[in-house]
Amino acid sequence: MSRQMTRIEMVMADVKAKIATVTYASGSRLPSVRAAASSMGFSPSTIVTAYERLEAEGVIYARAGSGFYVAEVSKPRALAAVGPNLDREVDPLWVSRQSLETPNDALKPGCGWLPADWLYEAGIRRGLRRVARGDVAMISDYATPLGLPELRQLLVRRMVGLGIEAKPAQVMLTESGTQAIDLICRLLLSAGDTVFVDDPCYFNFHALLRAHQVTVIGVPFNQDGPDTAAFEHLLHIHQPRLYITNAAIHNPTGATLTPASAYQVLQLAQAAGTYIIEDDIFADFETTPAPRLAALDGLSAVFYIGSFSKTLSASLRCGYIAAPPDYTEPLLDLKIATGFGGGQLAAAVILSALSDSGYHKHMNALYHRLALMRAQVIRRLAAVGITPWLVPQAGMFLWCCLPESQSASALANHCMTHGIVLAPGSVFSQADDADRFMRFNVAQSTDPRIFEVLGQALSMEHFSNA
């Protein structure tokens, strides 16, 4: 295994990656030494040394009294490099591709969805038959721009149960939760803007924001939500345009936002003029509803999004946005410009499944099944020295800490050779200690071979961080 990069090398790699992806365009000014040190959590002397080495390589140049600037011509944009980690084998896009492209017999404890036989197959099949027997327009025509009215009305009723008041005209269906975030980013962001995400956060947030050529800053995430003191400090320094976070069950930690944290975060964001995207994709896994920022905010500066890929079907691509009233029309224009009318077949099947009397029973059974598997996986991981950072109240994820001095990235590389796809902490976080963490999906961790390979690997000396 290659040696671990020093902090100076990590700073240099980060700058080179941002030049390669046109986040730092040719001739643009790099963040000041103080700003870079604050955002990366390194000392100013580390940043200075890294900048000086980059200058010696001809990558950047200094202007007296002004700072450092990009010298080389920007290369075509690439999304593969995310943050300081340039090892393709452990970056977010690699993890996604391995989870999606590996054979069906591969083991995927690092993926972010339920096994097919855990989903509401019966309800989906009934929905497909019902739609097939219905109006031919439902299986042949474009949807209206906002999307199927009956599903939007159902979503409004479901939001009321979470304290979110929205009109059907504020709710727009999308092709996925990811498209929902992308449309909002297209509307609100320009290249060079700053966006906050939780640290750790869902790894595709980093990949998506890279495509928008913005600066991404991680806010430390605790067991009751974002570190509000750090959030306030970072707001003052960076003045972000947008903050993207999870509602309810946090990905990857499984933590739940407390009322006190929700209130403080919203107050701070409102005072700073920062918009919020609240991603509630795991809403239906909750047993006790957590506070929603969109409810506290009244959909004033919070965009509330969700989808159905985790509980119903990842094959039926459908998400939604509940937007502040002034932003519905601009979002609608963007949706038409980038996707025209969209489809309604998936929305019709999802409406049928959500309205089906068996859906509630299915989710109740799923809560208990996940709870049993969570306890079982925690015991199995403990046997090989891996412990949860937090025991979640609900959901499918465990955010776990590896034994002292073990490398999650090296472990992921090794297990991949045994047909096991893991999700190391370095793809969720850019923190110094991220490589000591690993996300496990308890529903995808039923095979004893996973723990056999983990135990054997962790006993091997070359997985040490030292």
Side-chain angles (χ1 to χ4, degrees):
M1 185 184 73
S2 60
R3 67 176 180 83
Q4 189 174 9
M5 286 193 295
T6 67
R7 293 187 175 191
I8 293 170
E9 290 170 337
M10 290 172 68
V11 175
M12 295 174 67
D14 181 58
V15 172
K16 290 178 179 179
K18 288 175 178 174
I19 291 172
T21 56
V22 204
T23 301
Y24 295 160
S26 180
S28 64
R29 184 177 181 272
L30 269 62
S32 68
V33 169
R34 179 179 297 179
S38 176
S39 66
M40 297 191 74
F42 296 159
S43 68
S45 62
T46 297
I47 305 299
V48 169
T49 302
Y51 279 8
E52 288 175 344
R53 290 188 183 180
L54 288 168
E55 184 181 15
E57 292 180 8
V59 176
I60 64 175
Y61 64 92
R63 289 181 184 172
S66 178
F68 293 88
Y69 292 78
V70 177
E72 67 176 320
V73 176
S74 298
K75 299 176 182 178
R77 182 165 24 139
L79 302 183
V82 178
N85 187 355
L86 298 182
D87 184 355
R88 179 66 180 188
E89 294 189 345
V90 293
D91 76 21
L93 293 170
W94 184 91
V95 171
S96 298
R97 290 185 62 172
Q98 291 299 327
S99 296
L100 293 167
E101 293 178 354
T102 49
N104 290 333
D105 59 355
L107 303 176
K108 301 178 182 180
C111 79
W113 55 85
L114 295 175
D117 59 358
W118 286 52
L119 294 169
Y120 190 36
E121 178 185 348
I124 293 296
R125 290 189 182 278
R126 281 194 293 270
L128 286 166
R129 289 193 295 268
R130 188 172 296 137
V131 173
R133 292 193 301 265
D135 188 345
V136 67
M138 193 61 69
I139 60 175
S140 60
D141 288 352
Y142 288 109
T144 58
L146 281 175
L148 189 66
E150 294 84 357
L151 179 55
R152 292 189 289 110
Q153 290 165 1
L154 176 62
L155 292 174
V156 167
R157 293 195 296 271
R158 284 162 59 96
M159 284 183 233
V160 169
L162 299 172
I164 303 170
E165 295 186 7
K167 298 177 181 178
Q170 287 177 258
V171 179
M172 182 179 78
L173 301 185
T174 61
E175 297 302 304
S176 65
T178 299
Q179 191 202 27
I181 296 175
D182 183 50
L183 287 172
I184 298 168
C185 288
R186 288 174 185 263
L187 179 64
L188 297 181
L189 301 178
S190 299
D193 283 346
T194 297
V195 178
F196 281 7
V197 295
D198 298 323
D199 190 358
C201 72
Y202 170 44
F203 52 70
N204 204 48
F205 289 167
H206 285 285
L208 177 60
L209 291 170
R210 177 72 60 189
H212 285 279
Q213 304 180 57
V214 297
T215 299
V216 182
I217 303 295
V219 178
F221 199 86
N222 298 325
Q223 295 188 1
D224 58 355
D227 182 327
T228 52
F231 190 66
E232 182 175 17
H233 175 69
L234 292 169
L235 281 171
H236 178 71
I237 294 174
H238 298 286
Q239 300 178 341
R241 175 72 168 164
L242 180 65
Y243 168 47
I244 306 177
T245 187
N246 286 126
I249 302 167
H250 183 257
N251 182 10
T253 67
T256 301
L257 185 66
T258 64
S261 292
Y263 180 74
Q264 291 179 60
V265 165
L266 187 60
Q267 274 198 322
L268 291 168
Q270 288 175 336
T274 299
Y275 291 96
I276 297 175
I277 297 177
E278 187 173 32
D279 181 357
D280 205 4
I281 192 172
F282 299 105
D284 284 0
F285 289 92
E286 278 188 303
T287 52
T288 302
R292 298 307 199 267
L293 297 174
L296 296 173
D297 174 72
L299 286 178
S300 175
V302 175
F303 295 79
Y304 179 78
I305 74 162
S307 78
F308 312 97
S309 60
K310 306 304 181 184
T311 56
L312 290 177
S313 169
S315 184
L316 293 170
R317 307 303 291 157
C318 185
Y320 62 90
I321 303 170
D326 291 345
Y327 292 92
T328 304
E329 287 297 317
L331 280 170
L332 194 58
D333 288 344
L334 270 176
K335 178 186 174 183
I336 294 171
T338 58
F340 200 62
Q344 55 185 345
L345 177 59
V349 176
I350 285 170
L351 172 65
S352 175
L354 292 176
S355 305
D356 193 294
S357 60
Y359 181 68
H360 184 67
K361 294 179 182 178
H362 165 75
M363 290 308 303
N364 279 335
L366 186 58
Y367 302 148
H368 294 295
R369 191 175 186 182
L370 282 169
L372 290 172
M373 187 52 60
R374 187 181 307 116
Q376 181 176 328
V377 172
I378 288 174
R379 289 194 298 269
R380 287 180 168 180
L381 289 172
V384 297
I386 300 175
T387 56
W389 175 76
L390 165 79
V391 178
Q393 300 175 17
M396 68 180 83
F397 297 132
L398 287 174
W399 181 241
C400 294
C401 186
L402 300 184
E404 190 69 28
S405 300
Q406 297 293 332
S407 166
S409 300
L411 186 60
N413 285 330
H414 173 81
C415 288
M416 190 63 222
T417 65
H418 292 265
I420 299 173
V421 180
L422 295 176
S426 54
V427 305
F428 300 91
S429 169
Q430 297 180 19
D432 288 348
D433 65 345
D435 204 40
R436 290 189 56 237
F437 290 89
M438 185 85 73
R439 189 191 74 179
F440 288 91
N441 180 339
V442 300
Q444 298 278 4
S445 300
T446 59
D447 196 307
R449 288 176 293 170
I450 295 169
F451 306 96
E452 292 171 6
V453 173
L454 283 172
Q456 293 167 2
L458 288 170
S459 66
M460 298 167 65
E461 184 178 354
H462 72 269
F463 287 101
S464 173
N465 267 323

